[in-house]
Amino acid sequence: MSVYTRVDDRDLAALLADYALRLEDAQAARHGIENSTFLIDARAADGSPRLVVLTVFEQFDGDALAPYLALLATLAAAGLPVPAALVDRHGQRLRHVAGKPAVLVPRLPGEHCFEVGSEHCRQVGALLAALHRQPTEAGAALPDERQRLTALSEHLCRLNEDDQHRAETVLRRWRKVRATRTLIHGDLFRDNALFNAEGRLTGVLDFYNACLERPEYDLAVALNDWAVASDGRPVPRRQGALLAGYRDGGGEWDESVLALALAVAALRFWLSRLAGPVSGESEGQGSKDPAEFARIFGYRFNALGDGDD
């Protein structure tokens, strides 16, 4: 995750003291593009090591964050491997760092997996099935993804004429698909999942695109990252493994809706990447390459066929 807000060791130490923790070391994390994130080594009062993560939010205010923090607490209580915010000595989950909202969470075990195999995909599918079974009440206060898509559509003017036409066709078809109230992650990319040394999925991060939507959309977001080659071409073996894990976990989907959702999700992240980084002062990864999702969108659109507008 990129770093837009710098936090020095003195401020980190003062923050950790409110959690009865002592700072030992801190490093900026470099994957992702939206928030400032720090990996912190600390010790508890009894001297035991504690690994935590501080996230400073660049786009959310405290009121907007509240439903996400409640969601993570609910999912953690249900046994999903998610980083629910720690509570400080004042009983608060939400803090402010450098004038921006922030949370401290446990650092889940494992590492990001960028050399993806079928077994990784199968476990991601199973995790999505478990998430989609959660009560919808947990996501009732979250933003609407279709409203996000509408807002991102202002960037369609940055596409060439042919791509604008394809994008408008896909969005027009998607608007005709009835939304459902399934709790989805909405951003389950490889840099939002952790695996241990044995290849077991140990953590799912960054629920700040979570919402209520059709399960096919969540599957599409994941498939467009976990089950594509470096050139954006779909990899059927990995796609089949992810869907098998989802089906074996009790998930169901509509094939025609999924085909359309694959194009919509590719377009969504193409447009969000065109929107650029949240700051010109970032240290680290910054905004990702929009061309990656332009290629994926091309493959997904071509797979749709003519259809009905």
Side-chain angles (χ1 to χ4, degrees):
M1 297 179 182
S2 302
V3 173
Y4 306 96
T5 299
R6 277 75 170 180
V7 184
D8 62 29
D9 285 353
R10 183 178 63 180
D11 290 335
L12 285 177
L15 175 72
L16 291 174
D18 280 342
Y19 297 84
L21 297 174
R22 185 177 74 252
L23 175 67
E24 297 230 317
D25 186 47
Q27 298 180 8
R30 301 300 180 97
H31 296 296
I33 62 174
E34 291 184 347
N35 303 309
S36 298
T37 304
F38 303 87
L39 306 179
I40 299 172
D41 295 350
R43 287 195 180 273
D46 62 3
S48 60
R50 292 286 302 276
L51 304 180
V52 294
V53 177
L54 173 68
T55 299
V56 181
F57 294 92
E58 306 293 342
Q59 296 177 303
F60 287 101
D61 61 25
D63 289 341
L65 275 171
Y68 295 105
L69 301 185
L71 169 64
L72 287 166
T74 298
L75 296 180
L80 273 70
V82 304
L86 298 174
V87 177
D88 67 14
R89 63 188 177 91
H90 306 291
Q92 301 296 314
R93 292 190 181 99
L94 181 66
R95 298 293 304 259
H96 284 82
V97 172
K100 299 176 181 179
V103 295
L104 193 71
V105 304
R107 195 190 317 173
L108 300 179
E111 303 289 340
H112 300 301
C113 173
F114 297 107
E115 297 296 326
V116 177
S118 295
E119 176 57 20
H120 300 112
C121 293
R122 185 196 66 78
Q123 292 182 62
V124 168
L127 183 283
L128 287 176
L131 175 63
H132 294 172
R133 291 196 303 271
Q134 298 304 306
T136 58
E137 290 79 4
L142 298 176
D144 182 273
E145 177 66 6
R146 300 201 183 198
Q147 292 179 2
R148 287 193 188 114
L149 278 170
T150 298
L152 285 169
S153 295
E154 69 181 50
H155 297 285
L156 289 174
C157 61
R158 303 175 67 172
L159 310 184
N160 65 44
E161 186 175 347
D162 287 343
D163 284 333
Q164 282 188 47
H165 175 71
R166 296 185 185 100
E168 289 165 354
T169 297
V170 163
L171 291 173
R172 186 164 57 248
R173 293 183 190 177
W174 186 244
R175 283 192 289 269
K176 295 179 180 179
V177 176
R178 181 180 61 85
T180 63
R181 293 179 61 80
T182 299
L183 179 64
I184 72 167
H185 183 281
D187 194 24
L188 189 43
F189 282 51
R190 284 169 283 176
D191 57 6
N192 283 331
L194 300 172
F195 291 83
N196 65 15
E198 289 72 43
R200 183 171 62 86
L201 180 64
T202 54
V204 178
L205 313 175
D206 196 351
F207 275 77
Y208 302 104
N209 283 288
C211 60
L212 300 180
E213 194 25 296
R214 293 193 67 100
E216 291 91 349
Y217 186 81
D218 216 12
L219 287 169
V221 170
L223 288 167
N224 280 341
D225 187 62
W226 293 87
V228 297
S230 58
D231 64 356
R233 190 183 303 273
V235 180
R237 177 174 50 84
R238 283 193 242 154
Q239 182 159 316
L242 194 151
L243 291 174
Y246 186 73
R247 181 191 61 239
D248 292 346
E252 298 179 348
W253 66 92
D254 180 301
E255 288 285 357
S256 63
V257 173
L258 177 59
L260 178 58
L262 286 164
V264 174
L267 177 63
R268 183 255 197 262
F269 285 97
W270 183 9
L271 294 176
S272 65
R273 289 182 178 190
L274 284 172
V278 297
S279 169
E281 302 298 322
S282 66
E283 169 189 328
Q285 183 170 295
S287 185
K288 297 179 182 178
D289 183 11
E292 177 185 8
F293 270 95
R295 293 189 293 269
I296 296 172
F297 176 76
Y299 284 116
R300 299 306 193 186
F301 181 84
N302 290 337
L304 280 176
D306 292 334
D308 295 322
D309 289 347

